[in-house]
Amino acid sequence: EIRKKYSGDNVIPSGIPDLDTQILNGGFQPSRVNMFGGTSGVGKSLLLLNMAIRAAMSIPPSKDLLYPPGAYTLDGPPERIFLYITMENYVYETWARMYCSLFKKTKTEMLYEIYNNKSSTDDINVRINDLLWPYKSSIQIEYFPASTISPATIAALIGKYNRNPQRRSVKAVYVDYLDLLLPDKQREFYRLDLGDITSGLKTIAANFEIPIITATQLN
């Protein structure tokens, strides 16, 4: 069990070489909650989303693809799902950032392509699937208004995406961000609520044997 928990093959990389090699022993370990803190506007959401993208594209492409490029469909679920839950940004904002990151576009270039119909919805779907399918990965984005979900909701989402409980497709969860979650049972003081939230996330990470990566706002 110790070899399994601390194996370099059983981690989810952050995609930041110095962080992975010098601090994380290869990446985020399963059954742990990892938290990044920063002030408003410092880039917490961008950091979490880019970590999810880099993790999804962390394993070298297989030489023998089950489907040729452009033929991927949701009828064949990916082997690895990276769940990104946001309460900070509307889903279209998250998708725009994901588009820019995946296709190496600036915001101006992205808006030009969309406004001038250079890319249809179907075209974008095909391009994203072509990028992720060789890695047998999918990035699932879930949006909720702030202060409307608790750790129990996150556990339910993981269960939904783990279509085969034996395989456990969800490999990591990214929560944007901690301060916008509700506790499963509210207390009188926020500090106690925060303790319940982090404890709930830790339990989820342990039960599903995955890392949970989140951020918190520092004032």
Side-chain angles (χ1 to χ4, degrees):
E1 188 65 20
I2 291 174
R3 285 197 295 267
K4 175 184 175 183
K5 290 291 185 184
Y6 293 96
S7 168
D9 297 328
N10 199 34
V11 298
I12 300 298
S14 71
I16 303 173
D18 287 347
L19 180 61
D20 286 335
T21 58
Q22 299 182 23
I23 299 176
L24 295 177
N25 191 32
F28 298 114
Q29 295 175 354
S31 303
R32 293 186 179 275
V33 175
N34 305 269
M35 189 185 307
F36 294 87
T39 56
S40 178
V42 77
K44 299 184 296 297
S45 299
L46 285 173
L47 178 66
L48 292 178
L49 183 59
N50 276 279
M51 283 182 175
I53 291 171
R54 293 182 183 192
M57 303 176 76
S58 61
I59 296 179
S62 171
K63 294 181 180 179
D64 301 317
L65 299 182
L66 296 178
Y67 298 96
Y72 170 82
T73 70
L74 289 178
D75 294 334
E79 295 177 4
R80 304 190 307 151
I81 293 175
F82 297 85
L83 179 57
Y84 183 89
I85 300 170
T86 177
M87 295 156 283
E88 168 70 357
N89 301 289
Y90 291 113
V91 69
Y92 65 83
E93 294 177 304
T94 304
W95 272 107
R97 291 176 174 183
M98 182 174 168
Y99 183 99
C100 291
S101 182
L102 283 173
F103 301 123
K104 307 297 188 294
K105 301 288 185 180
T106 65
K107 183 178 179 180
T108 300
E109 291 170 334
M110 180 268 296
L111 291 174
Y112 174 82
E113 291 185 2
I114 291 176
Y115 275 111
N116 290 276
N117 296 319
K118 299 294 183 180
S119 298
S120 69
T121 300
D122 289 339
D123 290 338
I124 294 172
N125 282 333
V126 169
R127 290 168 63 196
I128 291 176
N129 289 332
D130 284 350
L131 281 176
L132 295 179
W133 178 246
Y135 301 91
K136 304 297 188 290
S137 295
S138 174
I139 301 171
Q140 297 294 332
I141 296 175
E142 294 277 355
Y143 166 75
F144 296 91
S147 303
T148 61
I149 66 168
S150 69
T153 311
I154 296 174
L157 284 172
I158 297 171
K160 180 183 79 171
Y161 285 115
N162 279 343
R163 300 180 183 181
N164 183 346
Q166 301 300 320
R167 190 172 65 181
R168 295 195 173 190
S169 299
V170 176
K171 300 304 180 184
V173 177
Y174 304 80
V175 182
D176 185 18
Y177 55 88
L178 181 74
D179 310 65
L180 302 179
L181 282 171
L182 288 174
D184 290 322
K185 294 182 180 179
Q186 285 188 289
R187 303 283 194 92
E188 185 177 355
F189 300 104
Y190 174 70
R191 186 171 61 180
L192 297 177
D193 283 346
L194 194 58
D196 285 347
I197 292 169
T198 54
S199 177
L201 293 179
K202 175 66 177 177
T203 299
I204 294 170
N207 288 344
F208 290 100
E209 295 187 327
I210 58 173
I212 293 180
I213 302 97
T214 186
T216 184
Q217 185 159 313
L218 303 177
N219 296 317

